Amino acid sequence: MNLEKAINIEDMHRAAKRRLPRIAFDFIEGGLEDEHGLSRNIEGFLRHRLVPRYLVDVDRIDQTASLFGRTYASPFGIGPTGLAALFRPGADLMLAEAARDANIPFVMSGTSTASIEALAKVAPEHGWYQLYGARDRKISEDLIRRTREAGLGTLMLTVDVPVSGKRERNIRNGLRRPMRMTASSYLEALCHPAWIVDYLRNGGTPMFENWKPYARPGASADEVADLVGQQTPASDQTWRDFENFRRLWPRRLAIKGIMHPADALRAIELGADGIVVSNHGGRQLDRSPSAVEGFPGIRHAVG
């Protein structure tokens, strides 16, 4: 499908499902366990209604929003999406360019397939970096150093992945470390030749560029992916690590994944500049409330 002909998000959804093999599509589409969290995220928005007020001059609309001392064109941004190049080669920087052109923020995933330094060249004023804390704290500290030296203005620490979630679609498809793809996944992928051509043309498994320096010299993309799996999630990460990151990072620091008002208050007390209320898209704790449900309590607590 030519995406220029898509008239809504569902059109794009169907186009993606046609193009991508199940192992890739399920990675984007799926939650974990029974996927109640995914359903709750959708239902949380559907429960809210928009009540219009009419006979108001709307000839000129101003959607600008100020955040962290910068004015953006709209109160929206592009959140972090891991392994984006598996779905479309070069996707990370395409998203960064789109955010720059639309004048909205873009958050590079901690498991991106482009580097912090490349992001800084493409979208220096709009690019943020998402930090997943590593078991080896020196890796985390070096990622912060690189983000600082690249000149990016905002670091976003994601804290809602203390352990790996049981993403059952990925397990069934064999998308885990080490890779254990099933025969049916291989056969199903053959039904998506355009994706396979792109995948092979671009070298197969995408490289986690930001993690490459911490692997052995000449490590393959699979070896680097194994390193990421060994280093994250850091189940021993605590508020003490957050305090250390705050000391190392001199610019705007956001914390992503907060759902409890008490955690929000503590984050602010320890120097967070912003909070992202998030249940990780329903991909980490299936019984967690949706972000829409959690937001009012946190807003009430911290203002």
Side-chain angles (χ1 to χ4, degrees):
M1 176 183 180
N2 181 350
L3 289 183
E4 298 298 325
K5 296 181 180 179
I7 63 172
N8 58 29
I9 297 297
E10 183 55 31
D11 285 348
M12 296 183 187
H13 180 267
R14 285 192 291 266
K17 190 170 186 177
R18 283 196 297 270
R19 186 178 190 279
L20 295 175
R22 184 177 60 224
I23 191 171
F25 183 81
D26 280 355
F27 179 81
I28 305 174
E29 178 88 339
L32 82 161
E33 297 176 355
D34 297 318
E35 299 191 346
H36 294 308
L38 280 182
S39 300
R40 209 154 36 247
N41 283 348
I42 296 169
E43 291 165 1
F45 280 99
L46 292 177
R47 278 198 298 269
H48 287 265
R49 303 291 182 263
L50 302 178
V51 181
R53 298 293 301 275
Y54 293 123
L55 293 177
V56 176
D57 185 353
V58 292
D59 189 54
R60 295 181 182 178
I61 299 297
D62 181 3
Q63 286 191 191
T64 58
S66 295
L67 180 64
F68 294 163
R70 181 178 183 84
T71 299
Y72 293 101
S74 189
F76 293 92
I78 300 176
T81 305
L83 202 57
L86 179 65
F87 322 123
R88 183 165 183 171
D92 293 289
L93 298 184
M94 290 178 189
L95 290 169
E97 290 170 351
R100 177 198 64 204
D101 295 345
N103 188 24
I104 59 174
F106 164 73
V107 188
M108 171 174 272
S109 170
T111 52
S112 68
T113 47
S115 69
I116 294 165
E117 293 77 12
L119 171 61
K121 291 178 182 177
V122 168
E125 302 296 325
H126 297 81
W128 304 5
Y129 181 65
Q130 176 199 35
L131 178 70
Y132 278 118
R135 292 179 181 275
D136 181 347
R137 300 307 196 263
K138 290 187 180 352
I139 294 177
S140 298
E141 292 173 3
D142 195 58
L143 286 165
I144 293 172
R145 175 194 64 79
R146 289 169 56 195
T147 307
R148 185 179 65 243
E149 292 181 358
L152 299 183
T154 301
L155 182 72
M156 179 184 288
L157 173 65
T158 290
V159 298
D160 58 359
V161 188
V163 295
S164 296
K166 186 186 176 189
R167 299 181 186 175
E168 296 181 9
R169 295 200 206 190
N170 294 351
I171 294 170
R172 290 191 183 96
N173 293 330
L175 184 61
R176 49 182 167 162
R177 306 306 311 177
M179 284 288 282
R180 296 173 183 164
M181 280 185 65
T182 64
S184 62
S185 292
Y186 280 113
L187 291 172
E188 196 277 335
L190 294 176
C191 299
H192 306 270
W195 179 87
I196 288 177
V197 169
D198 269 350
Y199 179 78
L200 295 176
R201 184 188 294 140
N202 287 275
T205 303
M207 174 67 76
F208 291 123
E209 292 291 344
N210 284 323
W211 289 83
K212 188 176 178 180
Y214 313 115
R216 69 169 185 83
S220 68
D222 282 315
E223 288 175 305
V224 175
D226 286 337
L227 172 68
V228 175
Q230 293 157 10
Q231 286 293 326
T232 62
S235 55
D236 60 343
Q237 183 172 257
T238 68
W239 287 106
R240 187 172 298 173
D241 292 290
F242 179 78
E243 292 179 271
N244 182 45
F245 298 156
R246 176 71 282 183
R247 283 191 295 269
L248 293 172
W249 179 254
R251 302 171 193 141
R252 301 291 187 177
L253 177 62
I255 184 167
K256 177 179 180 287
I258 296 296
M259 293 294 291
H260 196 287
D263 285 346
L265 283 170
R266 188 163 190 184
I268 297 299
E269 289 167 0
L270 295 179
D273 296 299
I275 290 170
V276 180
V277 182
S278 169
N279 68 359
H280 212 93
R283 293 159 72 85
Q284 265 313 114
L285 180 63
D286 206 27
R287 296 300 298 174
S288 70
S290 69
V292 173
E293 292 172 302
F295 181 78
I298 290 177
R299 172 74 182 247
H300 178 74
V302 303

PDB file of all heavy atoms in Angstrom, residues 127-158:
ATOM      1  N   GLY A 127      16.172  16.088  19.423  1.00  0.00           N
ATOM      2  CA  GLY A 127      16.471  14.731  19.847  1.00  0.00           C
ATOM      3  C   GLY A 127      16.730  14.609  21.338  1.00  0.00           C
ATOM      4  O   GLY A 127      17.491  15.387  21.914  1.00  0.00           O
ATOM      5  N   TRP A 128      16.068  13.647  21.964  1.00  0.00           N
ATOM      6  CA  TRP A 128      16.324  13.264  23.348  1.00  0.00           C
ATOM      7  C   TRP A 128      16.853  11.833  23.325  1.00  0.00           C
ATOM      8  O   TRP A 128      16.665  11.105  22.356  1.00  0.00           O
ATOM      9  CB  TRP A 128      15.052  13.291  24.191  1.00  0.00           C
ATOM     10  CG  TRP A 128      14.296  14.581  24.225  1.00  0.00           C
ATOM     11  CD1 TRP A 128      14.543  15.733  23.526  1.00  0.00           C
ATOM     12  CD2 TRP A 128      13.117  14.838  25.002  1.00  0.00           C
ATOM     13  NE1 TRP A 128      13.594  16.686  23.821  1.00  0.00           N
ATOM     14  CE2 TRP A 128      12.707  16.173  24.717  1.00  0.00           C
ATOM     15  CE3 TRP A 128      12.371  14.084  25.905  1.00  0.00           C
ATOM     16  CZ2 TRP A 128      11.598  16.743  25.314  1.00  0.00           C
ATOM     17  CZ3 TRP A 128      11.254  14.651  26.494  1.00  0.00           C
ATOM     18  CH2 TRP A 128      10.882  15.964  26.209  1.00  0.00           C
ATOM     19  N   TYR A 129      17.505  11.421  24.420  1.00  0.00           N
ATOM     20  CA  TYR A 129      17.985  10.033  24.487  1.00  0.00           C
ATOM     21  C   TYR A 129      17.379   9.329  25.691  1.00  0.00           C
ATOM     22  O   TYR A 129      17.353   9.862  26.806  1.00  0.00           O
ATOM     23  CB  TYR A 129      19.510   9.958  24.576  1.00  0.00           C
ATOM     24  CG  TYR A 129      20.008   8.530  24.613  1.00  0.00           C
ATOM     25  CD1 TYR A 129      19.821   7.698  23.513  1.00  0.00           C
ATOM     26  CD2 TYR A 129      20.607   7.997  25.756  1.00  0.00           C
ATOM     27  CE1 TYR A 129      20.229   6.366  23.549  1.00  0.00           C
ATOM     28  CE2 TYR A 129      21.017   6.669  25.793  1.00  0.00           C
ATOM     29  CZ  TYR A 129      20.823   5.862  24.685  1.00  0.00           C
ATOM     30  OH  TYR A 129      21.214   4.544  24.734  1.00  0.00           O
ATOM     31  N   GLN A 130      16.883   8.105  25.446  1.00  0.00           N
ATOM     32  CA  GLN A 130      16.321   7.257  26.499  1.00  0.00           C
ATOM     33  C   GLN A 130      17.412   6.348  27.046  1.00  0.00           C
ATOM     34  O   GLN A 130      18.032   5.584  26.297  1.00  0.00           O
ATOM     35  CB  GLN A 130      15.187   6.395  25.939  1.00  0.00           C
ATOM     36  CG  GLN A 130      14.614   5.404  26.956  1.00  0.00           C
ATOM     37  CD  GLN A 130      13.851   4.264  26.299  1.00  0.00           C
ATOM     38  OE1 GLN A 130      14.212   3.807  25.210  1.00  0.00           O
ATOM     39  NE2 GLN A 130      12.806   3.796  26.946  1.00  0.00           N
ATOM     40  N   LEU A 131      17.645   6.412  28.335  1.00  0.00           N
ATOM     41  CA  LEU A 131      18.661   5.582  28.977  1.00  0.00           C
ATOM     42  C   LEU A 131      18.006   4.399  29.682  1.00  0.00           C
ATOM     43  O   LEU A 131      17.136   4.576  30.535  1.00  0.00           O
ATOM     44  CB  LEU A 131      19.447   6.411  30.001  1.00  0.00           C
ATOM     45  CG  LEU A 131      20.515   5.648  30.788  1.00  0.00           C
ATOM     46  CD1 LEU A 131      21.686   5.259  29.881  1.00  0.00           C
ATOM     47  CD2 LEU A 131      21.016   6.479  31.969  1.00  0.00           C
ATOM     48  N   TYR A 132      18.437   3.193  29.292  1.00  0.00           N
ATOM     49  CA  TYR A 132      18.140   2.001  30.078  1.00  0.00           C
ATOM     50  C   TYR A 132      19.375   1.746  30.949  1.00  0.00           C
ATOM     51  O   TYR A 132      20.474   1.561  30.426  1.00  0.00           O
ATOM     52  CB  TYR A 132      17.914   0.786  29.191  1.00  0.00           C
ATOM     53  CG  TYR A 132      16.538   0.662  28.589  1.00  0.00           C
ATOM     54  CD1 TYR A 132      16.357   0.676  27.212  1.00  0.00           C
ATOM     55  CD2 TYR A 132      15.418   0.496  29.401  1.00  0.00           C
ATOM     56  CE1 TYR A 132      15.087   0.543  26.653  1.00  0.00           C
ATOM     57  CE2 TYR A 132      14.147   0.358  28.853  1.00  0.00           C
ATOM     58  CZ  TYR A 132      13.991   0.384  27.488  1.00  0.00           C
ATOM     59  OH  TYR A 132      12.739   0.249  26.946  1.00  0.00           O
ATOM     60  N   GLY A 133      19.199   1.732  32.267  1.00  0.00           N
ATOM     61  CA  GLY A 133      20.341   1.474  33.123  1.00  0.00           C
ATOM     62  C   GLY A 133      20.922   0.095  32.876  1.00  0.00           C
ATOM     63  O   GLY A 133      20.182  -0.884  32.734  1.00  0.00           O
ATOM     64  N   ALA A 134      22.249   0.010  32.810  1.00  0.00           N
ATOM     65  CA  ALA A 134      22.938  -1.263  32.583  1.00  0.00           C
ATOM     66  C   ALA A 134      23.416  -1.855  33.902  1.00  0.00           C
ATOM     67  O   ALA A 134      23.646  -1.137  34.875  1.00  0.00           O
ATOM     68  CB  ALA A 134      24.123  -1.047  31.644  1.00  0.00           C
ATOM     69  N   ARG A 135      23.569  -3.170  33.910  1.00  0.00           N
ATOM     70  CA  ARG A 135      24.117  -3.818  35.105  1.00  0.00           C
ATOM     71  C   ARG A 135      25.522  -3.296  35.397  1.00  0.00           C
ATOM     72  O   ARG A 135      25.892  -3.099  36.554  1.00  0.00           O
ATOM     73  CB  ARG A 135      24.149  -5.338  34.909  1.00  0.00           C
ATOM     74  CG  ARG A 135      22.762  -5.970  34.857  1.00  0.00           C
ATOM     75  CD  ARG A 135      22.838  -7.469  34.644  1.00  0.00           C
ATOM     76  NE  ARG A 135      21.520  -8.073  34.574  1.00  0.00           N
ATOM     77  CZ  ARG A 135      20.811  -8.453  35.632  1.00  0.00           C
ATOM     78  NH1 ARG A 135      21.313  -8.290  36.838  1.00  0.00           N
ATOM     79  NH2 ARG A 135      19.610  -8.986  35.491  1.00  0.00           N
ATOM     80  N   ASP A 136      26.295  -3.094  34.350  1.00  0.00           N
ATOM     81  CA  ASP A 136      27.618  -2.473  34.490  1.00  0.00           C
ATOM     82  C   ASP A 136      27.410  -0.960  34.488  1.00  0.00           C
ATOM     83  O   ASP A 136      27.137  -0.358  33.450  1.00  0.00           O
ATOM     84  CB  ASP A 136      28.522  -2.891  33.324  1.00  0.00           C
ATOM     85  CG  ASP A 136      29.921  -2.308  33.426  1.00  0.00           C
ATOM     86  OD1 ASP A 136      30.141  -1.394  34.244  1.00  0.00           O
ATOM     87  OD2 ASP A 136      30.797  -2.747  32.650  1.00  0.00           O
ATOM     88  N   ARG A 137      27.507  -0.337  35.647  1.00  0.00           N
ATOM     89  CA  ARG A 137      27.205   1.090  35.764  1.00  0.00           C
ATOM     90  C   ARG A 137      28.129   1.952  34.917  1.00  0.00           C
ATOM     91  O   ARG A 137      27.760   3.059  34.517  1.00  0.00           O
ATOM     92  CB  ARG A 137      27.278   1.536  37.228  1.00  0.00           C
ATOM     93  CG  ARG A 137      26.302   0.817  38.173  1.00  0.00           C
ATOM     94  CD  ARG A 137      24.855   0.877  37.668  1.00  0.00           C
ATOM     95  NE  ARG A 137      23.892   0.538  38.703  1.00  0.00           N
ATOM     96  CZ  ARG A 137      23.351  -0.656  38.879  1.00  0.00           C
ATOM     97  NH1 ARG A 137      23.685  -1.665  38.072  1.00  0.00           N
ATOM     98  NH2 ARG A 137      22.470  -0.864  39.847  1.00  0.00           N
ATOM     99  N   LYS A 138      29.308   1.438  34.592  1.00  0.00           N
ATOM    100  CA  LYS A 138      30.227   2.226  33.754  1.00  0.00           C
ATOM    101  C   LYS A 138      29.657   2.414  32.352  1.00  0.00           C
ATOM    102  O   LYS A 138      29.907   3.438  31.703  1.00  0.00           O
ATOM    103  CB  LYS A 138      31.600   1.543  33.688  1.00  0.00           C
ATOM    104  CG  LYS A 138      32.376   1.589  35.003  1.00  0.00           C
ATOM    105  CD  LYS A 138      33.775   1.066  34.817  1.00  0.00           C
ATOM    106  CE  LYS A 138      34.626   1.085  36.077  1.00  0.00           C
ATOM    107  NZ  LYS A 138      34.109   1.731  37.244  1.00  0.00           N
ATOM    108  N   ILE A 139      28.887   1.443  31.859  1.00  0.00           N
ATOM    109  CA  ILE A 139      28.235   1.588  30.549  1.00  0.00           C
ATOM    110  C   ILE A 139      27.204   2.705  30.617  1.00  0.00           C
ATOM    111  O   ILE A 139      27.161   3.583  29.744  1.00  0.00           O
ATOM    112  CB  ILE A 139      27.591   0.263  30.107  1.00  0.00           C
ATOM    113  CG1 ILE A 139      28.667  -0.797  29.841  1.00  0.00           C
ATOM    114  CG2 ILE A 139      26.730   0.477  28.860  1.00  0.00           C
ATOM    115  CD1 ILE A 139      28.110  -2.162  29.455  1.00  0.00           C
ATOM    116  N   SER A 140      26.383   2.718  31.650  1.00  0.00           N
ATOM    117  CA  SER A 140      25.384   3.781  31.803  1.00  0.00           C
ATOM    118  C   SER A 140      26.055   5.144  31.870  1.00  0.00           C
ATOM    119  O   SER A 140      25.610   6.111  31.219  1.00  0.00           O
ATOM    120  CB  SER A 140      24.553   3.557  33.074  1.00  0.00           C
ATOM    121  OG  SER A 140      23.842   2.348  33.008  1.00  0.00           O
ATOM    122  N   GLU A 141      27.105   5.223  32.647  1.00  0.00           N
ATOM    123  CA  GLU A 141      27.800   6.506  32.798  1.00  0.00           C
ATOM    124  C   GLU A 141      28.412   6.959  31.481  1.00  0.00           C
ATOM    125  O   GLU A 141      28.406   8.155  31.169  1.00  0.00           O
ATOM    126  CB  GLU A 141      28.861   6.381  33.894  1.00  0.00           C
ATOM    127  CG  GLU A 141      28.251   6.197  35.287  1.00  0.00           C
ATOM    128  CD  GLU A 141      29.281   5.912  36.361  1.00  0.00           C
ATOM    129  OE1 GLU A 141      30.503   5.912  36.042  1.00  0.00           O
ATOM    130  OE2 GLU A 141      28.876   5.683  37.523  1.00  0.00           O
ATOM    131  N   ASP A 142      28.908   6.002  30.701  1.00  0.00           N
ATOM    132  CA  ASP A 142      29.489   6.395  29.417  1.00  0.00           C
ATOM    133  C   ASP A 142      28.423   6.816  28.420  1.00  0.00           C
ATOM    134  O   ASP A 142      28.632   7.737  27.617  1.00  0.00           O
ATOM    135  CB  ASP A 142      30.325   5.250  28.840  1.00  0.00           C
ATOM    136  CG  ASP A 142      31.227   5.725  27.706  1.00  0.00           C
ATOM    137  OD1 ASP A 142      32.052   6.636  27.948  1.00  0.00           O
ATOM    138  OD2 ASP A 142      31.077   5.219  26.570  1.00  0.00           O
ATOM    139  N   LEU A 143      27.256   6.168  28.443  1.00  0.00           N
ATOM    140  CA  LEU A 143      26.150   6.594  27.580  1.00  0.00           C
ATOM    141  C   LEU A 143      25.718   8.021  27.933  1.00  0.00           C
ATOM    142  O   LEU A 143      25.411   8.825  27.044  1.00  0.00           O
ATOM    143  CB  LEU A 143      24.974   5.633  27.710  1.00  0.00           C
ATOM    144  CG  LEU A 143      25.148   4.275  27.019  1.00  0.00           C
ATOM    145  CD1 LEU A 143      24.099   3.277  27.509  1.00  0.00           C
ATOM    146  CD2 LEU A 143      25.077   4.412  25.501  1.00  0.00           C
ATOM    147  N   ILE A 144      25.708   8.337  29.215  1.00  0.00           N
ATOM    148  CA  ILE A 144      25.387   9.706  29.632  1.00  0.00           C
ATOM    149  C   ILE A 144      26.448  10.673  29.124  1.00  0.00           C
ATOM    150  O   ILE A 144      26.133  11.760  28.615  1.00  0.00           O
ATOM    151  CB  ILE A 144      25.258   9.781  31.164  1.00  0.00           C
ATOM    152  CG1 ILE A 144      24.036   8.980  31.621  1.00  0.00           C
ATOM    153  CG2 ILE A 144      25.156  11.230  31.636  1.00  0.00           C
ATOM    154  CD1 ILE A 144      23.934   8.830  33.135  1.00  0.00           C
ATOM    155  N   ARG A 145      27.716  10.287  29.242  1.00  0.00           N
ATOM    156  CA  ARG A 145      28.793  11.142  28.731  1.00  0.00           C
ATOM    157  C   ARG A 145      28.632  11.401  27.243  1.00  0.00           C
ATOM    158  O   ARG A 145      28.753  12.551  26.780  1.00  0.00           O
ATOM    159  CB  ARG A 145      30.160  10.478  28.995  1.00  0.00           C
ATOM    160  CG  ARG A 145      31.336  11.248  28.376  1.00  0.00           C
ATOM    161  CD  ARG A 145      32.606  10.412  28.358  1.00  0.00           C
ATOM    162  NE  ARG A 145      32.493   9.219  27.520  1.00  0.00           N
ATOM    163  CZ  ARG A 145      32.601   9.220  26.198  1.00  0.00           C
ATOM    164  NH1 ARG A 145      32.796  10.350  25.528  1.00  0.00           N
ATOM    165  NH2 ARG A 145      32.500   8.078  25.517  1.00  0.00           N
ATOM    166  N   ARG A 146      28.349  10.348  26.493  1.00  0.00           N
ATOM    167  CA  ARG A 146      28.206  10.510  25.037  1.00  0.00           C
ATOM    168  C   ARG A 146      27.016  11.414  24.699  1.00  0.00           C
ATOM    169  O   ARG A 146      27.088  12.232  23.776  1.00  0.00           O
ATOM    170  CB  ARG A 146      28.047   9.137  24.381  1.00  0.00           C
ATOM    171  CG  ARG A 146      29.333   8.313  24.389  1.00  0.00           C
ATOM    172  CD  ARG A 146      29.080   6.877  23.971  1.00  0.00           C
ATOM    173  NE  ARG A 146      28.438   6.792  22.671  1.00  0.00           N
ATOM    174  CZ  ARG A 146      27.859   5.693  22.194  1.00  0.00           C
ATOM    175  NH1 ARG A 146      27.822   4.590  22.929  1.00  0.00           N
ATOM    176  NH2 ARG A 146      27.309   5.696  21.000  1.00  0.00           N
ATOM    177  N   THR A 147      25.922  11.251  25.434  1.00  0.00           N
ATOM    178  CA  THR A 147      24.750  12.104  25.197  1.00  0.00           C
ATOM    179  C   THR A 147      25.081  13.555  25.486  1.00  0.00           C
ATOM    180  O   THR A 147      24.695  14.472  24.741  1.00  0.00           O
ATOM    181  CB  THR A 147      23.569  11.636  26.065  1.00  0.00           C
ATOM    182  OG1 THR A 147      23.344  10.243  25.846  1.00  0.00           O
ATOM    183  CG2 THR A 147      22.302  12.399  25.731  1.00  0.00           C
ATOM    184  N   ARG A 148      25.812  13.778  26.566  1.00  0.00           N
ATOM    185  CA  ARG A 148      26.223  15.137  26.937  1.00  0.00           C
ATOM    186  C   ARG A 148      27.152  15.737  25.886  1.00  0.00           C
ATOM    187  O   ARG A 148      26.957  16.866  25.432  1.00  0.00           O
ATOM    188  CB  ARG A 148      26.921  15.100  28.302  1.00  0.00           C
ATOM    189  CG  ARG A 148      27.289  16.470  28.851  1.00  0.00           C
ATOM    190  CD  ARG A 148      27.951  16.349  30.211  1.00  0.00           C
ATOM    191  NE  ARG A 148      29.240  15.656  30.146  1.00  0.00           N
ATOM    192  CZ  ARG A 148      29.500  14.498  30.748  1.00  0.00           C
ATOM    193  NH1 ARG A 148      28.576  13.885  31.469  1.00  0.00           N
ATOM    194  NH2 ARG A 148      30.692  13.931  30.641  1.00  0.00           N
ATOM    195  N   GLU A 149      28.159  14.966  25.472  1.00  0.00           N
ATOM    196  CA  GLU A 149      29.127  15.484  24.509  1.00  0.00           C
ATOM    197  C   GLU A 149      28.531  15.654  23.119  1.00  0.00           C
ATOM    198  O   GLU A 149      29.006  16.496  22.340  1.00  0.00           O
ATOM    199  CB  GLU A 149      30.351  14.556  24.456  1.00  0.00           C
ATOM    200  CG  GLU A 149      31.162  14.592  25.750  1.00  0.00           C
ATOM    201  CD  GLU A 149      32.391  13.708  25.711  1.00  0.00           C
ATOM    202  OE1 GLU A 149      32.608  13.010  24.680  1.00  0.00           O
ATOM    203  OE2 GLU A 149      33.151  13.693  26.704  1.00  0.00           O
ATOM    204  N   ALA A 150      27.478  14.910  22.815  1.00  0.00           N
ATOM    205  CA  ALA A 150      26.799  15.078  21.525  1.00  0.00           C
ATOM    206  C   ALA A 150      25.967  16.357  21.493  1.00  0.00           C
ATOM    207  O   ALA A 150      25.553  16.799  20.413  1.00  0.00           O
ATOM    208  CB  ALA A 150      25.910  13.873  21.234  1.00  0.00           C
ATOM    209  N   GLY A 151      25.703  16.914  22.677  1.00  0.00           N
ATOM    210  CA  GLY A 151      24.983  18.180  22.740  1.00  0.00           C
ATOM    211  C   GLY A 151      23.474  18.050  22.857  1.00  0.00           C
ATOM    212  O   GLY A 151      22.767  19.056  22.727  1.00  0.00           O
ATOM    213  N   LEU A 152      22.957  16.834  23.105  1.00  0.00           N
ATOM    214  CA  LEU A 152      21.517  16.690  23.266  1.00  0.00           C
ATOM    215  C   LEU A 152      21.073  17.342  24.576  1.00  0.00           C
ATOM    216  O   LEU A 152      21.811  17.337  25.568  1.00  0.00           O
ATOM    217  CB  LEU A 152      21.112  15.221  23.240  1.00  0.00           C
ATOM    218  CG  LEU A 152      21.445  14.463  21.950  1.00  0.00           C
ATOM    219  CD1 LEU A 152      20.926  13.029  22.032  1.00  0.00           C
ATOM    220  CD2 LEU A 152      20.875  15.159  20.721  1.00  0.00           C
ATOM    221  N   GLY A 153      19.852  17.863  24.583  1.00  0.00           N
ATOM    222  CA  GLY A 153      19.416  18.658  25.723  1.00  0.00           C
ATOM    223  C   GLY A 153      18.646  17.907  26.785  1.00  0.00           C
ATOM    224  O   GLY A 153      18.515  18.405  27.909  1.00  0.00           O
ATOM    225  N   THR A 154      18.114  16.718  26.459  1.00  0.00           N
ATOM    226  CA  THR A 154      17.264  16.001  27.414  1.00  0.00           C
ATOM    227  C   THR A 154      17.635  14.526  27.461  1.00  0.00           C
ATOM    228  O   THR A 154      17.764  13.877  26.420  1.00  0.00           O
ATOM    229  CB  THR A 154      15.771  16.150  27.055  1.00  0.00           C
ATOM    230  OG1 THR A 154      15.426  17.536  27.043  1.00  0.00           O
ATOM    231  CG2 THR A 154      14.896  15.424  28.065  1.00  0.00           C
ATOM    232  N   LEU A 155      17.783  14.013  28.663  1.00  0.00           N
ATOM    233  CA  LEU A 155      18.004  12.589  28.909  1.00  0.00           C
ATOM    234  C   LEU A 155      16.753  12.056  29.595  1.00  0.00           C
ATOM    235  O   LEU A 155      16.216  12.682  30.513  1.00  0.00           O
ATOM    236  CB  LEU A 155      19.215  12.387  29.816  1.00  0.00           C
ATOM    237  CG  LEU A 155      19.607  10.937  30.135  1.00  0.00           C
ATOM    238  CD1 LEU A 155      20.222  10.272  28.904  1.00  0.00           C
ATOM    239  CD2 LEU A 155      20.593  10.894  31.308  1.00  0.00           C
ATOM    240  N   MET A 156      16.270  10.890  29.135  1.00  0.00           N
ATOM    241  CA  MET A 156      15.074  10.277  29.711  1.00  0.00           C
ATOM    242  C   MET A 156      15.444   8.907  30.264  1.00  0.00           C
ATOM    243  O   MET A 156      15.766   7.989  29.515  1.00  0.00           O
ATOM    244  CB  MET A 156      13.971  10.144  28.665  1.00  0.00           C
ATOM    245  CG  MET A 156      12.698   9.492  29.193  1.00  0.00           C
ATOM    246  SD  MET A 156      11.460   9.249  27.887  1.00  0.00           S
ATOM    247  CE  MET A 156      10.931  10.941  27.626  1.00  0.00           C
ATOM    248  N   LEU A 157      15.424   8.783  31.586  1.00  0.00           N
ATOM    249  CA  LEU A 157      15.724   7.507  32.226  1.00  0.00           C
ATOM    250  C   LEU A 157      14.446   6.691  32.332  1.00  0.00           C
ATOM    251  O   LEU A 157      13.473   7.118  32.955  1.00  0.00           O
ATOM    252  CB  LEU A 157      16.320   7.733  33.620  1.00  0.00           C
ATOM    253  CG  LEU A 157      16.535   6.468  34.456  1.00  0.00           C
ATOM    254  CD1 LEU A 157      17.593   5.568  33.812  1.00  0.00           C
ATOM    255  CD2 LEU A 157      16.912   6.810  35.893  1.00  0.00           C
ATOM    256  N   THR A 158      14.448   5.506  31.727  1.00  0.00           N
ATOM    257  CA  THR A 158      13.286   4.615  31.811  1.00  0.00           C
ATOM    258  C   THR A 158      13.490   3.644  32.972  1.00  0.00           C
ATOM    259  O   THR A 158      14.508   2.956  33.040  1.00  0.00           O
ATOM    260  CB  THR A 158      13.081   3.861  30.490  1.00  0.00           C
ATOM    261  OG1 THR A 158      12.636   4.791  29.501  1.00  0.00           O
ATOM    262  CG2 THR A 158      12.024   2.776  30.632  1.00  0.00           C
TER     263      THR A 158
END
